[in-house]
Amino acid sequence: MRLSIIITIFCLGNLLSFSQGYAKDSLQIKVYTEIEYKNREAKDIKLLKVFCDYCTSAQTSKIGYAALLRAHDERYLPENVLVNGKKKLAIIIRISKVDFAAISDEKENETLEKE
């Protein structure tokens, strides 16, 4: 009995530490997109806003592009489809800090290399 309680507590402790582990080494960035529907068909997908105060223009651009791809993938999910109208989607992009730091402005890097 005691052994099963100890094992359960140990497993829960590991599970809780694992579930919170992503927050230490990743970032979450919220992006708003909008899908325009006509007769239940997606006609246009727009990027409305990337909520990232510390992003460079290259990082904002890549995150926005990733959000547009996700909106494109989700355009015909039943909860998103409208007969006619515009559906706004809030998309959360989770990216590791290492990958986020690796996104750089290629033009900026070329300028630095020339100097």
Side-chain angles (χ1 to χ4, degrees):
M1 177 81 174
R2 287 183 182 178
L3 182 60
S4 64
I5 291 173
I6 292 171
I7 291 173
T8 304
I9 291 172
F10 179 74
C11 291
L12 285 175
N14 284 340
L15 183 62
L16 289 175
S17 67
F18 177 73
S19 66
Q20 294 173 357
Y22 75 87
K24 293 178 184 175
D25 63 349
S26 68
L27 301 169
Q28 287 188 153
I29 301 167
K30 184 185 244 183
V31 182
Y32 284 158
T33 60
E34 182 179 76
I35 305 172
E36 183 179 347
Y37 291 94
K38 290 186 182 173
N39 297 322
R40 296 186 187 266
E41 291 289 324
K43 296 298 180 186
D44 190 25
I45 301 174
K46 293 180 184 174
L47 177 67
L48 297 180
K49 181 155 177 81
V50 176
F51 291 93
C52 185
D53 295 336
Y54 46 83
C55 292
T56 65
S57 61
Q59 291 166 333
T60 302
S61 176
K62 297 242 180 178
I63 290 167
Y65 182 70
L68 285 173
L69 290 176
R70 287 193 190 174
H72 184 265
D73 290 343
E74 296 180 12
R75 71 191 186 278
Y76 290 121
L77 291 179
E79 62 267 17
N80 294 336
V81 176
L82 300 174
V83 175
N84 289 308
K86 295 179 180 180
K87 173 75 174 183
K88 292 184 181 179
L89 297 177
I91 297 174
I92 303 295
I93 303 290
R94 184 175 290 150
I95 184 170
S96 74
K97 291 178 182 177
V98 173
D99 291 341
F100 181 77
I103 300 172
S104 63
D105 191 2
E106 293 173 6
K107 292 178 185 176
E108 182 180 305
N109 288 342
E110 289 175 7
T111 305
L112 292 174
E113 289 173 4
K114 288 179 183 178
E115 293 178 356

